[in-house]
Amino acid sequence: VKSGLPQEQRRGLGYAAVPPYGLLEPPRLTVTQFHAAGGSLVTFLLLACFDNLAPRICLWCAFFLYFVYFSQLFCESKAGGHSTVMIPTTLFMLALAQPGSDAIW
């Protein structure tokens, strides 16, 4: 779907569409790829809930897919949107947590 708007050309996070952590340009996904990335993100988050399915690997996949999926969405205003910044940080910290840790967050 092409709208012809300048925002259609940009991919990244936030209103300025910056690359995640300033490192890599996000890919331009087709509609089918966008839906597959969203479905995969949800699937890996659900699979991370099971101890016998390597939750750390699922969390790393979800961390990567967060940037693939959310970099496709255009932020329509400069206000708000800061609550989603905590999602990749939380996924990163959970993926680094020790498997048998009884520590409380």
Side-chain angles (χ1 to χ4, degrees):
V1 179
K2 298 198 181 241
S3 65
L5 296 172
Q7 295 88 347
E8 178 189 37
Q9 304 304 319
R10 301 186 318 192
R11 293 293 182 266
L13 300 175
Y15 188 76
V18 295
Y21 301 111
L23 298 174
L24 299 172
E25 270 309 305
R28 294 180 57 88
L29 301 180
T30 65
V31 174
T32 304
Q33 291 171 332
F34 176 72
H35 291 302
S40 299
L41 175 62
V42 171
T43 301
F44 278 114
L45 287 172
L46 290 174
L47 290 175
C49 296
F50 299 99
D51 288 338
N52 55 351
L53 294 176
R56 293 173 78 186
I57 294 172
C58 293
L59 288 169
W60 282 117
C61 291
F63 176 76
F64 171 74
L65 285 167
Y66 171 87
F67 294 111
V68 172
Y69 182 78
F70 281 99
S71 66
Q72 306 299 308
L73 303 175
F74 174 68
C75 180
E76 295 181 7
S77 72
K78 291 183 181 181
H82 292 99
S83 59
T84 59
V85 173
M86 296 188 317
I87 294 172
T89 305
T90 303
L91 291 172
F92 184 79
M93 295 300 291
L94 286 172
L96 289 177
Q98 295 298 321
S101 176
D102 290 333
I104 300 173
W105 282 68

